[in-house]
Amino acid sequence: MSLSSTKSISVQKVEKSRIGQVDFDNLTFGATFSDHMFECDYKDGEWQNPTIKPYGNISISPAAKVFHYGQAVFEGMKAYKDDNGKIWLFRPEQNFLRINKSSKRMAIPEFPREIFFEALEQLVKLDKEWVRPGMGNSLYIRPFAMASQVGVSASPSTEYKFMILMSPAQAYYTGDVRVEIAEHYSRSANGGVGAAKAAGNYGAQFYPTNLAREKGFQQVIWTDASDHKYLEEAGTMNVFFRVNDTLLTAPISDRILDGVTRKSIIALAKNDNIKVEERPVLVSEIVEAAKNGSLKEIFGAGTAAVISPVSAFSYKDTVYEIDKQEDSYAAQFKKELLDIQYNRSEDPFNWRYEII
């Protein structure tokens, strides 16, 4: 299994950009894609033929193993344009490391570092006009890998396709969300693939989330699969709880995704001298905190949403409203994070990655 390739990326440019057809003021998240995409195939034990080409459909057999055994992983990251027209990525090394960690868990060959970063840089430079200026605007970048070998035998594929798509984006969530704490369904279990960004993790969330939406909640806070005693993630995001002035979040494990936004918030909190506890968080302690008034905030954190405040949660058919805080940690961290991402402040952590 080769992690390297000596083949440079071939580039096929579009004859005419589609950017003039896009209404950037009315974007649906993840529905519009930029002019170019990246594609690379794994065959005969190595990644080969890395290519940037015009965005478009691909041809794949209905017998490709991805459709039958779910060998697929993905990442989510963003490019930002600052007030001077420079374009930045945010901690892309973390996304590279995590997609290979996810791939390893799903028996997918790891992708070469040099091709990953060369593809990112060339793609964003080619489609730089798709990165719109202004706070809240970004270019969402979706690397993913999938099994492409033809055959329905229950075994790992010997062929794979690695691709990168890019989609102009605005704010993912525009307001606070109401959530339901799961009492029956779980996102992941010990020894499973919860720590991987595997496609099936998200597909399995849709049904219980639909049930919650029927009751007026936008998301589910997932609990552990064993006893449903511990709070783990919120929807597709990591989740934080502020009890008095202490920030609580579940520790990284094989059930919890090692979120880039999550670890960035923890670093910002510690830099701001805010106490952070990475430990198992009991449902009962958060319910009690809501009752006695010490629960100040709940918020989700992820690349797409950045930070999404929770205005209320439901548990055992009781709804607990959460009052807005004047000294909101969610608002503070979101501003600090966005200021770094858009190059509007110093970057003491060296998180920014300059593209152009």
Side-chain angles (χ1 to χ4, degrees):
M1 183 180 299
S2 174
L3 287 183
S4 63
S5 174
T6 58
K7 302 176 179 65
S8 60
I9 296 175
S10 66
V11 179
Q12 305 166 15
K13 296 183 180 179
V14 296
E15 293 183 3
K16 183 179 179 180
S17 175
R18 293 178 285 104
I19 196 167
Q21 304 169 21
V22 178
D23 181 357
F24 284 92
D25 294 325
N26 294 285
L27 293 170
T28 299
F29 182 82
T32 301
F33 295 90
S34 68
D35 288 323
H36 297 91
M37 65 183 187
F38 172 76
E39 184 175 359
C40 189
D41 291 310
Y42 184 88
K43 294 181 179 180
D44 302 321
E46 68 171 352
W47 290 101
Q48 52 189 276
N49 301 323
T51 304
I52 289 174
K53 60 175 65 175
Y55 173 83
N57 295 340
I58 61 173
S59 177
I60 189 168
S61 168
K65 289 198 173 187
V66 63
F67 301 128
H68 303 274
Y69 301 109
Q71 266 189 292
V73 298
F74 68 95
E75 268 301 321
M77 52 202 301
K78 287 179 178 178
Y80 308 86
K81 182 171 285 184
D82 70 17
D83 295 335
N84 297 315
K86 284 191 173 183
I87 298 175
W88 308 83
L89 300 181
F90 181 73
R91 308 189 73 177
E93 177 73 15
Q94 296 297 316
N95 298 100
F96 168 75
L97 294 173
R98 192 171 61 185
I99 198 168
N100 275 344
K101 179 180 178 182
S102 299
S103 293
K104 185 175 181 179
R105 180 62 181 85
M106 296 300 292
I108 297 172
E110 296 174 56
F111 198 71
R113 178 188 302 269
E114 63 272 22
I115 302 179
F116 181 84
F117 280 93
E118 184 181 351
L120 278 179
E121 292 192 25
Q122 288 203 42
L123 266 178
V124 175
K125 287 177 182 177
L126 268 177
D127 288 349
K128 62 184 179 181
E129 297 305 319
W130 292 78
V131 191
R132 310 304 279 189
M135 187 67 77
N137 295 322
S138 63
L139 187 65
Y140 183 79
I141 303 171
R142 170 54 61 90
F144 65 102
M146 60 181 175
S148 55
Q149 180 192 0
V150 174
V152 294
S153 60
S155 60
S157 178
T158 60
E159 297 180 0
Y160 298 87
K161 190 175 290 292
F162 189 100
M163 301 187 69
I164 303 176
L165 311 178
M166 304 195 301
S167 175
Q170 297 172 307
Y172 191 74
Y173 293 116
T174 56
D176 296 358
V177 297
R178 299 171 69 86
V179 300
E180 181 179 49
I181 293 178
E183 299 175 52
H184 175 69
Y185 295 101
S186 294
R187 176 184 174 272
S188 61
N190 290 335
V193 295
K197 283 187 77 72
N201 286 352
Y202 299 81
Q205 293 185 27
F206 297 154
Y207 175 68
T209 301
N210 284 345
L211 296 180
R213 285 175 176 165
E214 289 174 2
K215 293 185 280 186
F217 302 97
Q218 288 81 40
Q219 291 289 352
V220 174
I221 295 186
W222 308 104
T223 50
D224 67 287
S226 300
D227 303 303
H228 299 287
K229 291 181 178 180
Y230 297 98
L231 297 156
E232 300 202 323
E233 292 194 9
T236 59
M237 302 175 287
N238 294 114
V239 63
F240 288 84
F241 306 89
R242 176 186 174 186
V243 177
N244 290 319
D245 292 330
T246 299
L247 202 61
L248 311 177
T249 193
I252 294 302
S253 68
D254 57 9
R255 301 192 312 274
I256 306 293
L257 186 72
D258 187 9
V260 178
T261 307
R262 173 192 180 277
K263 65 178 64 178
S264 302
I265 288 171
I266 291 171
L268 289 171
K270 291 179 178 178
N271 193 58
D272 293 340
N273 295 315
I274 292 171
K275 185 178 179 182
V276 181
E277 295 181 5
E278 295 179 72
R279 62 167 176 81
V281 181
L282 285 162
V283 176
S284 58
E285 70 175 300
I286 297 304
V287 170
E288 178 58 30
K291 290 179 178 177
N292 64 33
S294 61
L295 178 66
K296 305 301 183 184
E297 295 180 78
I298 301 176
F299 56 89
T303 298
V306 187
I307 291 177
S308 183
V310 172
S311 61
F313 73 90
S314 172
Y315 182 64
K316 293 189 180 296
D317 297 322
T318 299
V319 176
Y320 300 87
E321 302 288 340
I322 303 172
D323 294 333
K324 284 187 177 293
Q325 301 296 310
E326 290 186 6
D327 63 340
S328 164
Y329 284 178
Q332 175 181 333
F333 296 142
K334 185 171 184 178
K335 182 182 186 305
E336 290 181 12
L337 202 55
L338 291 175
D339 282 347
I340 291 174
Q341 291 170 340
Y342 287 89
N343 193 28
R344 293 187 174 185
S345 70
E346 295 297 319
D347 178 13
F349 308 97
N350 197 30
W351 286 340
R352 284 194 295 261
Y353 182 98
E354 186 174 352
I355 292 292
I356 188 173

